[in-house]
């Protein structure tokens, strides 16, 4: 998870202060809080509404390299069913785990998260974790029938919905022909019988 190099606001609900831990390996602090969801947590179809509550329970543990964050976040997801386009809403709990390195530690990975003035920002971690956990095709229910491809009717509300017999467009030109033979055909058939 990458940590942006912006100035962190200690008043943000997703910014945590690790100053109390110092650099004593084994020091631990448990935090529970409700923060506001940031913008852009989700996809075009489903995501976390900006400003909605995010219930966070984390444990900050001081380790040799930095501060290890483990815990959970519960978010509300809203979006649209991919089959019937009805609004959907659900609650989702995601697991959080990230090591925030001390500023003087050399990372193995250039995109490693870092402490900034004893503050750590959970926003990038929350965003990445929630987005990776989102369903690729969100559905209102597993057996959603979707919409009628011809008229757009909701097939969940009207499961017996039909449009009668469909005519293959390749044979549509023949649809005006009648099954009854005309007079000349009847005469020809009569002669053949004799």
């Amino acid at each position: 998870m990458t940590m942006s190099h912006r100035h962190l606001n200690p008043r943000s609900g997703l910014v945590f202060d690790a100053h109390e831990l110092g650099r004593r390996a084994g020091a631990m602090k448990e935090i529970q809080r409700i923060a506001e969801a940031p913008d852009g947590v989700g996809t075009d179809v489903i995501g976390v509404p900006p400003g909605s509550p995010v219930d966070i329970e984390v444990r900050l543990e001081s380790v040799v390299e930095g501060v290890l964050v483990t815990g959970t976040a519960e978010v509300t997801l809203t979006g649209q069913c991919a089959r019937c386009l009805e609004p959907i809403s659900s609650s989702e709990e995601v697991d959080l785990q990230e090591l925030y390195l001390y500023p003087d530690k050399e990372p193995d990975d250039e995109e490693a998260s870092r402490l900034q003035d004893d503050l750590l920002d959970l926003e990038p971690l929350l965003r990445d974790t929630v987005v990776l956990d989102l369903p690729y095709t969100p559905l209102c229910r597993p057996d959603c029938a979707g919409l009628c491809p011809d008229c757009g009717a909701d097939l969940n509300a009207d499961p017996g919905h039909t449009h009668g017999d469909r005519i293959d467009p390749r044979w549509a030109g023949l649809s005006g022909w009648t099954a009854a033979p005309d007079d000349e055909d009847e005469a020809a058939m009569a002669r053949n019988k004799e």
Side-chain angles (χ1 to χ4, degrees):
M1 308 294 148
T2 183
M3 182 148 176
S4 60
H5 297 289
R6 61 186 169 90
H7 179 70
L8 300 181
N9 179 2
R11 293 185 184 151
S12 167
L14 295 171
V15 174
F16 292 80
D17 190 349
H19 178 73
E20 290 177 24
L21 298 176
R23 289 199 174 197
R24 297 180 316 273
M28 183 178 70
K29 177 180 179 181
E30 292 186 350
I31 303 171
Q32 181 177 4
R33 74 169 64 154
I34 296 177
E36 287 187 7
D39 291 337
V41 181
T43 64
D44 292 339
V45 182
I46 190 166
V48 179
S52 65
V54 178
D55 189 3
I56 301 172
E57 290 185 33
V58 291
R59 181 173 60 214
L60 310 181
E61 294 178 80
S62 181
V63 294
V64 175
E65 300 87 8
V67 176
L68 177 64
V69 177
T70 54
T72 60
E74 188 173 338
V75 296
T76 300
L77 299 176
T78 60
Q80 218 176 23
C81 177
R83 290 185 187 158
C84 69
L85 306 180
E86 286 295 315
I88 56 175
S89 180
S90 67
S91 184
E92 189 78 27
E93 184 175 279
V94 294
D95 293 325
L96 303 174
Q97 184 170 16
E98 183 77 4
L99 175 63
Y100 290 81
L101 298 174
Y102 293 125
D104 59 339
K105 295 290 182 182
E106 286 298 319
D108 293 335
D109 179 9
E110 288 298 319
E111 295 186 12
S113 299
R114 294 190 160 281
L115 286 168
Q116 187 178 12
D117 299 324
D118 289 326
L119 299 176
L120 55 95
D121 186 9
L122 284 187
E123 182 178 330
L125 174 62
L126 178 71
R127 177 176 282 111
D128 292 348
T129 305
V130 169
V131 169
L132 288 174
D133 203 43
L134 290 175
Y136 182 71
T137 306
L139 300 175
C140 60
R141 61 183 200 221
D143 63 340
C144 177
L147 301 176
C148 173
D150 293 326
C151 68
D154 185 354
L155 298 177
N156 295 315
D158 184 11
H161 176 81
T162 64
H163 290 277
D165 292 336
R166 296 183 82 187
I167 297 175
D168 187 324
R170 297 172 293 184
W171 299 102
L174 300 175
S175 65
W177 288 26
T178 61
D182 59 11
D183 293 338
E184 290 178 23
D185 289 339
E186 286 179 11
M189 288 173 60
R191 277 181 290 200
N192 287 337
K193 285 185 181 179
E194 297 175 353

